[in-house]
Amino acid sequence: MKTRIPLHRFSFRIYHFAFVVCLLGSGCNLFRARPEPPDAKAPPIPTGHLDKPTPDALVSYLNREASRLQSIQTTDLTIDVRSQGNSVSLDGTLLCQKPRYFKLTGRKLGSQQVLVGSNDERFWFYVKADPSDALYFCSHTEYANGTSAELPFPFQPEWVLEALGMGHIDPDGPLRVDEDKATYRLIEEAKLRGQQIRKVTVFYKGKAHGEQPQVKARMMYDDHDRLICQATVKSVARIGTATVPQIIKLEWPAQDTELVLDLGRVQVNRQLQMESFQMPRLGSRQVDLARDRPTGRGVVPAQFR
């Protein structure tokens, strides 16, 4: 009999959200998150009868758009974090390049507070305010196989690349399309860490222009129809033939955590330096989530507490 992996094995957790609390310090308004930007105005709903598109048509659109976006780079990033009643704003940088290269830094007053990175082999993260003073890492293979600990930081790079419109969908997978008055919903059955999940991509029916996103949101649900995470695109930038989210909101309801990323002055499709995606040596130790047992308090998985 197989042991059922509970929902929190899917989710990305920050216990006591240490880095938010520490960054807030004395509660100075200088570090509080800005008011959340409004959603981009949706394109108008077309008049007359519309034929519901096939899954192949929507997948072809997503994969065509993804093929136009090879890399994203911004040194003008703003990160607004809200978690469990706390909030903070950080400045930062974001580098993404297919297929799995990713680097996000968050700074306060010029000092690096958060680092999340990924390359073809592994991903890692470091939070300066974490009392454990550890850099956590895990190979993509061991995480996908479910052999690692759950993630204590709510930011899995591969999913973020998908949310940014850089991921390709297998056209031969189990897919269907639902619709309501204003949107189409592409529904994809998939696996995460060996468990059945459902991915949903929401499209506006009207043709988007300017800052309006065509893809409204991407959601991931577990096999009990509970929302694991959601990415909502608030506005986009159109650069040449490429479309990239300008403002995107990432949510993890089970952790009462959300991040709003404003990419600022973003550049696309430049060849990025691979040295940027090497795992750094930060903190007093490195913790392999597939092998080591983290100790102490702070940003560590609950089962090791």
Side-chain angles (χ1 to χ4, degrees), residues 143-156:
Y143 178 73
N145 290 342
T147 55
S148 74
E150 63 181 285
L151 292 185
F153 193 87
F155 214 112
Q156 211 282 330

Side-chain angles (χ1 to χ4, degrees), residues 246-271:
Q246 181 71 59
I247 301 176
I248 184 169
K249 180 180 181 180
L250 308 175
E251 301 174 81
W252 295 265
Q255 288 70 49
D256 188 22
T257 297
E258 62 184 51
L259 285 75
V260 178
L261 306 181
D262 184 338
L263 274 62
R265 296 182 295 273
V266 64
Q267 298 175 326
V268 301
N269 296 338
R270 295 192 172 191
Q271 182 63 45

